Amino acid sequence: MKHLGVALAYALCYAGLREVSFPYWVLFSGFHLSALLLMPRRYWPAMAVGEMIPLACLSLRCLDEFGWAWSVLIVIPPVALAMPVVRLCQNRWRLFPSLHGIRTGGLLLCALFASAIWTAANVATLLVTQLPPGYVLDYGDVIARWMLGNDLGVLTVVPLALLLRGAMGRLPARAWLGAMLDSRFVLECVSWMLPALVFLTWIGRGAAGEDIRQAARMAMFLPVAVLVLRHGWQAVAVGGAAASLGVVLTIPADPDANSLEAEVFICFAISTMLLLGGRITALNLRDERGREDTRQTLALARRALFFSELRAKRASESLEQIRSAIRVNHFTLLERVRQMLPNFDQRFYLRQGTVVQEQLYRVADNLYPVSWGERGLPASLREGAMARTLDESGVRYLCLISGRGLSQLSSSLHLVLYRVVIELVYTACQRHQATDVRVELRGGYFGGRRWAVLRVDAIEDPARSERVMWNTLLPRLAAMNAGVQSVHDQVELFEGRVRERRLPHGGRVSLIFHDH
């Protein structure tokens, strides 16, 4: 049943395309080759049978006019003549290495061989045709027009059919239309390439002189060439078909030598751009694979960062539990000693215990901010260990957080922002250039991705610099610091950028991060 449906559909399509085909623009030749390239080989016999139906009707209708020999030869389906060529090219060159790409060189050779076979079959049919008495044919001109017409029909239809096959094969039917509307390639075709071709076709049809008409025909391939450089052979599929249609519309009803030159130019232009477009597509696919590999590598690194921070969080929680246990045991021990020795002064030991607990707290906070679990990133930046350290050492610190969507960023990026701030502040304090520190953080959403912008200003006031306790500040910040290089590494991990700028009395570092 499927084979019968294929045969009937093929017969209807072939009969329809014969009505809009001309000797210098044989569209059904492109239909033949497209069907052979895209249909499974088990349906090839059904296609041949389907083509024989309209050919048999044509043979019976013109039997008295052209003779028995012509009527017999015309029934032979051209699609069957091209089957060995297509099979040989498919086995030899593997015309479709992937769903997105084609081997344009092999496709052009296949089109050339098929066009030559169909031209030879047409010439053989013409040789046995009963012609009117005294009717003289220029076989050289006829062969050239048939060859160019078949090749032009193939170059017009086949790339477009392959483009539709690739576009519809990647997406389900419901999502295909939406993807087409969102495609930049479709937008550029509709917005400027097709209007330019329509304008040049209008000039070519209305031109009074042949020179203007030829110039308009040649200019039709300029917008196509621009689009080919951006999108590869897919641009040839749409632009080449539209440009060939535009050139054909400028050819008069009675073709002359200039029309033959136009056909040669079309075939040469489409073939050349198809080769160039195939190479550009291959380069674009290679770049896309490289970008995809980079994205996967970054995703893997971000996952590794997440798990390392998770381990640091657990270690920090363990230290907090140990600190709490030490505090309880220390107070219990001091209470028992005080009961045994009434004159025992426990203030010294209380101070020592407090120092030990504070050291444990800083270690735990360096591993994973203790205030993080309570109020998240804003509390850690405004009231965390770094903020207290700066305040206790005499450095003015201000943190401003604005924008929407900051809370929806990933926890990994939150931790990266926190640690980057610490590293930038330590770098500025290390040079004794940060008596005032201002941190601004803003989050947002654009282009399907969330982003965060961080700006750290470090201002130096020489009068206040002498009152800052650098000897106390730097060691405590150094314990939380991982080095300047880690800033650039973490920015690259989230596909961000770093920008440094000098201020009149200090410096500014601006960073942007992209979250996934």
Side-chain angles (χ1 to χ4, degrees):
M1 199 65 184
K2 289 184 179 180
H3 290 76
L4 179 60
V6 170
L8 293 177
Y10 195 87
L12 291 175
C13 293
Y14 174 72
L17 285 174
R18 281 192 68 91
E19 299 299 323
V20 295
S21 296
F22 311 97
Y24 52 85
W25 200 45
V26 188
L27 289 180
F28 58 79
S29 296
F31 174 67
H32 292 330
L33 193 57
S34 299
L36 290 174
L37 290 172
L38 299 180
M39 292 292 289
R41 291 179 184 175
R42 62 179 179 274
Y43 294 117
W44 285 9
M47 292 160 51
V49 173
E51 188 175 11
M52 290 177 67
I53 298 174
L55 290 177
C57 296
L58 178 65
S59 174
L60 294 176
R61 188 168 62 248
C62 301
L63 173 62
D64 297 334
E65 183 178 358
F66 297 123
W68 280 99
W70 179 89
S71 298
V72 171
L73 290 181
I74 199 65
V75 178
I76 301 175
V79 69
L81 299 177
M83 288 179 184
V85 174
V86 174
R87 182 165 185 174
L88 176 63
C89 293
Q90 287 178 335
N91 295 337
R92 176 84 176 173
W93 292 305
R94 193 168 169 257
L95 298 179
F96 307 115
S98 66
L99 184 64
H100 307 275
I102 60 174
R103 296 193 186 277
T104 53
L107 181 64
L108 290 175
L109 287 176
C110 182
L112 182 62
F113 294 155
S115 300
I117 290 177
W118 290 326
T119 302
N122 291 340
V123 172
T125 305
L126 182 63
L127 290 175
V128 299
T129 303
Q130 294 180 3
L131 299 177
Y135 191 85
V136 180
L137 282 175
D138 184 357
Y139 281 94
D141 182 69
V142 171
I143 292 173
R145 291 190 181 277
W146 273 344
M147 184 67 186
L148 288 173
N150 286 319
D151 197 33
L152 182 57
V154 169
L155 295 176
T156 301
V157 177
V158 172
L160 190 59
L162 296 180
L163 174 64
L164 294 176
R165 167 250 188 187
M168 299 181 69
R170 290 195 299 266
L171 297 171
R174 293 182 179 179
W176 186 73
L177 181 59
M180 292 287 289
L181 295 177
D182 294 336
S183 173
R184 187 175 184 85
F185 169 63
V186 175
L187 177 63
E188 292 181 1
C189 287
V190 175
S191 62
W192 62 270
M193 188 194 71
L194 294 180
L197 294 178
V198 171
F199 176 70
L200 291 171
T201 302
W202 174 72
I203 293 178
R205 285 180 62 86
E210 186 61 31
D211 293 338
I212 299 177
R213 186 178 292 112
Q214 288 287 60
R217 290 168 181 166
M218 294 182 180
M220 288 182 189
F221 289 93
L222 294 178
V224 182
V226 173
L227 205 63
V228 168
L229 296 176
R230 293 172 58 84
H231 299 284
W233 72 268
Q234 290 87 349
V236 185
V238 178
S244 64
L245 174 61
V247 173
V248 168
L249 291 176
T250 63
I251 295 178
D254 185 17
D256 51 11
N258 291 324
S259 302
L260 186 63
E261 293 178 1
E263 289 185 66
V264 173
F265 173 73
I266 298 172
C267 292
F268 175 77
I270 295 180
S271 301
T272 303
M273 287 192 295
L274 198 59
L275 289 172
L276 177 63
R279 181 58 179 167
I280 292 175
T281 300
L283 294 176
N284 290 341
L285 288 175
R286 187 175 67 182
D287 292 342
E288 180 61 29
R289 284 194 295 268
R291 288 191 293 268
E292 182 63 27
D293 292 341
T294 301
R295 285 193 292 266
Q296 292 179 359
T297 302
L298 290 175
L300 180 61
R302 285 191 288 266
R303 286 197 298 271
L305 175 64
F306 171 77
F307 288 117
S308 65
E309 294 291 355
L310 184 60
R311 287 191 292 268
K313 178 182 179 181
R314 292 174 179 173
S316 177
E317 292 173 349
S318 299
L319 283 175
E320 271 295 291
Q321 294 174 1
I322 294 172
R323 187 173 72 91
S324 300
I326 289 176
R327 183 177 65 250
V328 173
N329 293 334
H330 183 68
F331 282 123
T332 302
L333 179 60
L334 289 179
E335 184 63 25
R336 289 181 179 179
V337 171
R338 189 179 65 82
Q339 294 176 358
M340 295 173 60
L341 301 175
N343 296 327
F344 175 72
D345 188 2
Q346 61 179 355
R347 287 176 296 180
F348 173 76
Y349 298 99
L350 282 174
R351 287 195 299 270
Q352 292 295 324
T354 303
V355 170
V356 172
Q357 292 169 27
E358 181 65 22
Q359 290 175 348
L360 286 175
Y361 176 83
R362 289 176 183 172
V363 172
D365 195 79
N366 292 342
L367 286 174
Y368 193 89
V370 176
S371 59
W372 199 278
E374 301 173 359
R375 286 173 290 175
L377 178 63
S380 298
L381 286 177
R382 290 170 176 162
E383 307 167 7
M386 181 196 67
R388 293 198 307 271
T389 301
L390 292 174
D391 184 66
E392 293 170 1
S393 302
V395 175
R396 292 176 181 172
Y397 175 73
L398 177 63
C399 179
L400 301 177
I401 298 178
S402 61
R404 295 179 298 175
L406 190 63
S407 60
Q408 299 181 15
L409 297 173
S410 64
S411 59
S412 298
L413 182 53
H414 278 184
L415 282 169
V416 166
L417 291 170
Y418 178 75
R419 300 196 187 283
V420 165
V421 170
I422 293 176
E423 287 152 5
L424 293 177
V425 170
Y426 173 74
T427 302
C429 292
Q430 194 176 26
R431 304 166 186 167
H432 294 191
Q433 295 177 346
T435 56
D436 293 85
V437 174
R438 179 187 176 96
V439 175
E440 294 185 28
L441 180 60
R442 183 182 179 187
Y445 181 84
F446 180 77
R449 294 195 300 177
R450 299 203 172 273
W451 51 264
V453 173
L454 174 65
R455 189 172 72 182
V456 179
D457 293 343
I459 307 300
E460 180 186 9
D461 185 356
R464 295 185 59 250
S465 180
E466 298 178 356
R467 297 195 296 269
V468 176
M469 295 181 291
W470 300 109
N471 295 333
T472 304
L473 173 63
L474 293 178
R476 294 175 65 179
L477 287 179
M480 297 183 276
N481 180 58
V484 178
Q485 184 60 40
S486 65
V487 175
H488 297 276
D489 294 341
Q490 292 178 94
V491 169
E492 292 179 3
L493 186 61
F494 286 88
E495 302 179 42
R497 297 189 302 274
V498 181
R499 180 183 176 186
E500 298 185 18
R501 178 185 173 188
R502 294 296 303 171
L503 297 177
H505 299 285
R508 169 179 295 171
V509 180
S510 303
L511 308 96
I512 183 170
F513 300 82
H514 296 283
D515 199 10
H516 295 263

